[in-house]
Amino acid sequence: MEFGLGMDFHGQDVNKAAQKAVNDAISKSCLCGLEEVLHIRDFDEKVRVEVTVAVSDPDQIQKESVKRCLPVGTVNVKAVQGGFRVPGLYLPGFGDKDDSIEVAVACIEVWIIGQEGLLNGKEEIE
């Protein structure tokens, strides 16, 4: 499990902020060893990735654009109410609608599909 933070400083776009949060989260983790230790050959088949993004307007999240940030696994994206907007600088030439900055938080969970079902750490889920 990893967390990330993303901001859209100009444009107030929840999708850009969410994508940056996901990229921040995955930049701090590595799936090294999955092939060597667990003998995973097909990462898209054997790896499940659950993404939760918290933004100020979750109904505006385009899940497919968030999924494209993740290079492996079967990805599921859930958008929830959260994140926040903070005062920023209004520059219409940068695409701003107002003077706020959109802030998103992402949580990335990676599950490995074993012979008996889903594995997350030492727990097995059927």
Side-chain angles (χ1 to χ4, degrees):
M1 182 178 290
E2 189 60 73
F3 296 88
L5 181 68
M7 288 82 54
D8 184 26
F9 289 97
H10 298 286
Q12 298 73 40
D13 188 325
V14 294
N15 288 288
K16 287 182 182 177
Q19 290 167 6
K20 289 178 180 181
V22 168
N23 286 327
D24 180 51
I26 65 173
S27 73
K28 298 182 274 186
S29 64
C30 180
L31 299 178
C32 295
L34 290 179
E35 187 174 20
E36 295 83 0
V37 175
L38 298 177
H39 307 290
I40 293 176
R41 299 289 179 250
D42 187 345
F43 282 78
D44 289 333
E45 179 185 325
K46 296 291 186 180
V47 176
R48 190 173 98 194
V49 182
E50 295 291 326
V51 178
T52 304
V53 290
V55 294
S56 66
D57 190 357
D59 292 334
Q60 296 299 313
I61 286 293
Q62 298 167 356
K63 294 179 181 180
E64 291 302 317
S65 70
V66 175
K67 284 181 181 183
R68 284 193 292 275
C69 296
L70 296 143
V72 298
T74 300
V75 180
N76 181 51
V77 175
K78 177 173 67 169
V80 298
Q81 184 69 41
F84 52 94
R85 285 191 169 194
V86 295
L89 184 60
Y90 177 63
L91 295 170
F94 283 20
D96 282 333
K97 301 172 202 143
D98 57 40
D99 70 346
S100 66
I101 298 169
E102 179 69 35
V103 181
V105 178
C107 174
I108 311 293
E109 297 175 84
V110 176
W111 298 72
I112 305 304
I113 301 172
Q115 292 179 346
E116 301 297 323
L118 293 176
L119 304 174
N120 185 356
K122 295 180 183 175
E123 298 178 28
E124 184 171 300
I125 302 170
E126 296 188 47

